[in-house]
Amino acid sequence: MELTATILAAPTAPAAANPRVLIVLPSLGTSVGALWQSAATHLGEVDPATTIIGIDLPGHGRSAPVDVSAGTSEYPQLTMSDLAEAVLATIDRVLPDVAGSADASAASISVAGDSIGGAIALQLALDHGDRFDRAAVFCTGAKIGEPRGWLERAEVVATSGTPTQVTGSAQRWFGEGFMDREPEASAALLHSLQDADRFSYAALCHALASYDVRSRLAEITLPVLAVAGSEDQPTPPTKLAEIANGVSGALLEVIEGAAHLVPAEAPAVAAGLLHEFLNPDAAGATGTGEQNSATLPTASGPREASRDEVREAGMTVRRQVLSDAHVDRANAKVDDFTADFQDLITRYAWGEIWTRPGLEKRMRSAITLTAMIAGGHEAELAMHVKAAVRNGLTRDEIKEVLLQSAIYCSVPSANTAFSVASQALAEMDDEG
């Protein structure tokens, strides 16, 4: 099984002693170019010394289909480990040319993937963690769907072809309005599905049917970024939160309004998150793919930045934690009387405190829940319960925070908190 690699973004700045390479992997039914090219172009603009290489899956894009004996429809039943090994073999084959040296091990390699591409990235982190610096997983899970469903889909596609999946994929892949806003991008993705080899697609379904690394997440030692689309049906944010909770030190980001193909639906945002993740020491990296001249706060002191820069950084993290919809509603209500207060909380609460690197966002959410309970701030508690889910707390962890508050804040306070939290979580379920 030989896969094809494509350079999506070549370096435009002098390479360092150890060339930096990002490998990107597509989802089931898409080509790497259709899914990742726009995000790679954005990322190349802010990371000009990095080479971004896309690797197509078997029978997708530019990669050859799986071997099927003439006159039969018997295709190989692949595993995720098979796919991970094929990706690694491809990296070893193309990297010497990219690195400009026969010693490809000198290169600094990270991997990012969407859906099954994210599952392959997790498998590589488990089986060959020493070969990679970082892993970013988009719209995926440690287990995706149920085996029976994948096996049934494999048989349908092997018999009738990938066009049978176009209508369903159009509904699952994209957030509301994306196909109207970006007709060319959505058409390219759906065409890549229609053009995919049916037996290769079926073989990948078999890999997903047997894939389950939930019990192994703690074995991953690489830094991991987990990115979810808020509207994703196949792999909702809870799937990415499970990864973020299972891998020590992993980060979780939820992209509002996006569904299952974040790199194509929000390419600038995806590029910004990758830039920040791949450059953890870079000052002023933001989740929008743009550079901010403000210096990030340190563990021991505040940032050195202008008032506007702090406010901009605060607005970015406020939107990440509370959602664009919430912040837009709050901003719509701002008038001359409340404007200064909104500016105050954006700059100080969000710009000075929530942006600090000393605590992960999920820890800050747990602390904030306790503070809201202790203060009896029910409306704010409901808002921060939803924010806690976006920041990676599971419902069981939220329950534990509320139980502990019964001891330290009072049983009546916890009783009210459980009622508020239950309603907030139910609203999230209703919103999908």
Side-chain angles (χ1 to χ4, degrees):
M1 181 169 51
E2 187 167 297
L3 307 180
T4 300
T6 304
I7 295 179
L8 302 182
T12 57
N18 296 329
R20 287 186 48 182
V21 177
L22 174 65
I23 305 297
V24 295
L25 305 171
S27 65
L28 177 66
T30 71
S31 69
V32 76
L35 181 60
W36 278 101
Q37 183 61 72
S38 184
T41 300
H42 282 288
L43 183 55
E45 292 171 356
V46 293
D47 269 337
T50 298
T51 301
I52 304 171
I53 299 175
I55 298 178
D56 276 310
L57 302 174
H60 291 61
R62 298 177 61 227
S63 285
V66 296
D67 291 330
V68 178
S69 300
T72 73
S73 59
E74 294 182 3
Y75 52 87
Q77 297 184 5
L78 299 176
T79 67
M80 207 63 69
S81 292
D82 293 332
L83 295 170
E85 295 301 324
V87 167
L88 192 63
T90 306
I91 294 171
D92 289 338
R93 188 178 72 251
V94 304
L95 208 55
D97 291 336
V98 173
S101 166
D103 183 14
S105 63
S108 171
I109 311 171
S110 296
V111 61
D114 186 280
S115 191
I116 191 173
I120 296 170
L122 286 178
Q123 195 72 53
L124 286 167
L126 284 165
D127 298 344
H128 300 284
D130 58 324
R131 294 290 307 275
F132 299 91
D133 291 338
R134 291 172 173 263
V137 296
F138 290 72
C139 308
T140 190
K143 177 180 182 290
I144 304 173
E146 296 299 328
R148 181 178 177 180
W150 288 118
L151 297 177
E152 289 175 350
R153 189 192 298 193
E155 291 309 308
V156 169
V157 173
T159 301
S160 303
T162 54
T164 59
Q165 303 302 304
V166 170
T167 300
S169 294
Q171 296 169 348
R172 294 188 298 268
W173 281 359
F174 309 121
E176 184 177 356
F178 177 77
M179 295 183 71
D180 293 330
R181 294 191 307 272
E182 300 289 345
E184 292 184 6
S186 54
L189 288 159
L190 292 171
H191 277 303
S192 68
L193 169 60
Q194 186 166 313
D195 294 340
D197 173 65
R198 58 177 174 152
F199 296 123
S200 301
Y201 187 105
L204 295 177
C205 288
H206 269 272
L208 286 163
S210 61
Y211 166 72
D212 186 351
V213 296
R214 290 175 295 178
S215 64
R216 298 189 60 196
L217 290 173
E219 300 174 28
I220 297 176
T221 57
L222 293 179
V224 168
L225 168 67
V227 181
S230 66
E231 308 305 314
D232 191 358
Q233 299 174 30
T235 53
T238 51
K239 289 284 188 180
L240 281 299
E242 182 178 45
I243 294 171
N245 290 333
V247 179
S248 178
L251 305 173
L252 174 68
E253 297 286 350
V254 180
I255 310 305
E256 288 297 322
H260 194 57
L261 303 182
V262 163
E265 294 177 89
V269 174
L273 291 173
L274 284 169
H275 173 61
E276 187 174 337
F277 178 60
L278 299 174
N279 299 272
D281 297 326
T286 72
T288 61
E290 301 175 353
Q291 280 296 105
N292 185 327
S293 60
T295 302
L296 290 174
T298 66
S300 58
R303 71 177 75 230
E304 294 179 1
S306 72
R307 178 189 181 101
D308 288 343
E309 288 168 341
V310 173
R311 189 183 189 285
E312 182 180 347
M315 184 57 74
T316 297
V317 75
R318 186 180 181 187
R319 287 183 176 278
Q320 291 172 348
V321 173
L322 300 182
S323 83
D324 286 335
H326 175 92
V327 175
D328 288 343
R329 285 195 299 270
N331 287 341
K333 298 176 182 177
V334 173
D335 55 25
D336 290 341
F337 186 70
T338 61
D340 287 343
F341 176 70
Q342 288 296 320
D343 179 68
L344 174 75
I345 60 176
T346 299
R347 283 186 296 109
Y348 283 97
W350 299 103
E352 293 287 359
I353 299 302
W354 276 86
T355 58
R356 291 177 64 83
L359 293 175
E360 296 177 359
K361 286 189 180 73
R362 60 192 309 274
M363 176 70 80
R364 292 191 185 279
S365 274
I367 294 169
T368 304
L369 291 178
T370 306
M372 295 301 101
I373 295 167
H377 307 302
E378 296 177 18
E380 294 280 310
L381 174 61
M383 176 181 74
H384 279 285
V385 166
K386 296 178 181 180
V389 174
R390 295 188 191 94
N391 283 341
L393 264 69
T394 65
R395 298 188 181 208
D396 282 344
E397 288 173 325
I398 292 172
K399 177 182 70 176
E400 292 301 323
V401 171
L402 270 55
L403 284 170
Q404 184 132 341
S405 74
I407 305 302
Y408 293 96
C409 300
S410 83
V411 169
S413 295
N415 184 49
T416 301
F418 268 101
S419 176
V420 171
S422 294
Q423 182 175 344
L425 293 171
E427 289 174 0
M428 293 191 78
D429 290 338
D430 291 340
E431 293 165 2

